[in-house]
Every structure is written in structure tokens, then in C-alpha cells.
């Protein structure tokens, strides 16, 4: 029973690790980016609203993002644990997540910070752009997303550090190596699959 959060810059490998960890711990991986992308693809009302924001590498407004996560966390499969990937990204989202969890007498167990060098993540994102053709993976938008992350999201790590929730993991290397590092860091906190 674990409530985990993955935090790190775009391209650090959060999505890949989130999938692996979710299946290892048998908890759902909840990615706001994936939820938004699915809505854009299906051209839902939400998708139409967020497409231009995402394409520009900006953040979707907090009230929209918070409502989506609150609904998702209320689904039965998240009752025993979950892994959040790409949320929270702003101070308001941190407050909202705290509120949603506290309403059920719950709290986060650990925040995994995936650390990766900027040049390395830009290179990774450019490669992903070729492979997956994501509209927000052009070099200009990538650089903007890095700047938005540094300005708005990186400071949240301090908030969680003050609660002694953060484990730092080097995101460079093979996927399996990074997974092993994360599992080791979680085990050191008594979190095992
Ligand atoms: P990601 O796949 O996590 O890199 O997210 C892709 C894009 O979705 C971001 O650049 C934002 O436009 C939007 N997005 C995802 N998660 C959030 C969030 N927690 N708050 C605001 N916007 C988000």
C-alpha cells in the first residue's frame, strides 16, 4: 500500500519508470500528461481546451488539473495506493493534493525525485520527438518546458523535503538501472513490493 509521487524535469524518464513501478507495486500510475493527451486525441471538450496550452509547453490551469486528479483518485483502483507522474507541478496543486488525501485520512508516503542533466534530457526528448511525434517535443517547446519546470515545479521539491519525503535518484543510464536505484531507495524507506 503505497502512495508515491515521481518528480523531475521533462525527459527524465518519469513515464517509463512510472509504468514499471506501477506494475511492480500493483498500483495505478496516474499521469496527468497522459490523461490530457488522451483527451486531445479523442477531441473531448477538455482536449479542445488544453491542446494549445500543451502545444506551447505551458501548464494547464490548476483548477482543471486539480479536478481531474481528484476524480481519478476517487476511483476504486486508487484506494490502496497510486503513483502520480507529472502532478503536482505547482504550489496550488500541492495544496489540493494534500487536501484530497487528508479528506480520506491519507498522505503521501514518498516523493521520488529523478535527477537528470539538462543537455541529456533535451537530447532524450528530441529522440522521443522523432519516435512518437509529440507536438510539444520540438526543440523550442522543449526548452520552454524545461524553463517552466525550473521556475514552477522544481521549488516544490523543497516543500516535500521539509516533510522528509524525498528520495533522490540518478536518472541517467539504462531504464533497468534507474528502476533498480528507485527500488533500492524505496526499500531503504521500508517500501517494498
Ligand atoms: P507530461 O507528459 O507530464 O510532460 O505533460 C505534458 C503536458 O501536459 C505539460 O507540458 C502540460 O501542458 C500538461 N500537464 C501535465 N501535467 C500537468 C500538471 N500537473 N499541471 C499543469 N499542466 C500539466
Amino acid at each position: 500500500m503505497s502512495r508515491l509521487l515521481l518528480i523531475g524535469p521533462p525527459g527524465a524518464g518519469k513515464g517509463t519508470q512510472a509504468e514499471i513501478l506501477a506494475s511492480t507495486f500493483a498500483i495505478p500510475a496516474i499521469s496527468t500528461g497522459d490523461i490530457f493527451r488522451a483527451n486531445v486525441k479523442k477531441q473531448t471538450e477538455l482536449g479542445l481546451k488544453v491542446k494549445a496550452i500543451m502545444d506551447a509547453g505551458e501548464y494547464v490551469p490548476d483548477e482543471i488539473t486539480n479536478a481531474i486528479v481528484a476524480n481519478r483518485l476517487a476511483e476504486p483502483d486508487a484506494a490502496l495506493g497510486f503513483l502520480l507522474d507529472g502532478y503536482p507541478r505547482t504550489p496550488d496543486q500541492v495544496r489540493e493534493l494534500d487536501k484530497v488525501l487528508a479528506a480520506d485520512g491519507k498522505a503521501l508516503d514518498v516523493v521520488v525525485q529523478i535527477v537528470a542533466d539538462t543537455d541529456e534530457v533535451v537530447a532524450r526528448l528530441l529522440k522521443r520527438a522523432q519516435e512518437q511525434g509529440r507536438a510539444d517535443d520540438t526543440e523550442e517547446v522543449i526548452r520552454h518546458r524545461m524553463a517552466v519546470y525550473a521556475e514552477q515545479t522544481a521549488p516544490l521539491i523543497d516543500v516535500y523535503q521539509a516533510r522528509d519525503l524525498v528520495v533522490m535518484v540518478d536518472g541517467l543510464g539504462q531504464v533497468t538501472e534507474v528502476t533498480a536505484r528507485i527500488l533500492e531507495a524505496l526499500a531503504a524507506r521500508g517500501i517494498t513490493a
Side-chain angles (χ1 to χ4, degrees), residues 7 30 34 43 60 68-69 84 101 103 121 140 147 150 173-174 182 193:
I7 197 162
I30 301 175
D34 282 351
Q43 298 186 303
V60 172
I68 282 165
V69 174
L84 283 167
L101 294 178
V121 295
E140 195 192 340
Q174 298 293 317
I182 296 174

Side-chain angles (χ1 to χ4, degrees), residues 18-147:
E19 292 301 329
I20 297 169
L21 294 169
S23 81
T24 304
F25 287 93
I27 52 178
I30 301 175
S31 156
T32 42
D34 282 351
I35 294 171
F36 290 139
R37 273 185 294 279
N39 278 275
V40 169
K41 203 168 164 194
K42 281 192 267 174
Q43 298 186 303
T44 64
E45 198 182 325
L46 170 68
L48 295 173
K49 222 184 289 181
V50 302
K51 184 179 186 320
I53 299 172
M54 293 179 74
D55 286 353
E58 300 287 348
Y59 282 172
V60 172
D62 287 332
E63 60 272 23
I64 296 178
T65 310
N66 284 334
I68 282 165
V69 174
N71 285 333
R72 182 62 188 87
L73 289 177
E75 285 179 34
D77 67 332
L80 292 181
F82 54 78
L83 192 157
L84 283 167
D85 159 21
Y87 179 94
R89 267 169 145 110
T90 66
D92 186 65
Q93 293 178 17
V94 169
R95 280 190 294 274
E96 179 65 17
L97 177 61
D98 285 342
K99 220 167 70 184
V100 167
L101 294 178
D104 271 343
K106 295 172 182 164
L108 288 174
D109 295 313
V110 69
V111 173
V112 178
Q113 178 192 359
I114 302 188
V115 182
D117 167 79
T118 304
D119 288 345
E120 170 69 23
V121 295
V122 171
R124 279 194 202 177
L125 289 171
L126 288 171
K127 187 162 162 250
R128 185 172 74 185
Q130 286 181 341
E131 291 165 359
Q132 300 178 6
R134 262 177 62 164
D136 60 350
D137 273 346
T138 65
E139 179 147 12
E140 195 192 340
V141 177
I142 288 168
R143 294 208 181 279
H144 184 62
R145 286 163 59 211
M146 302 297 270

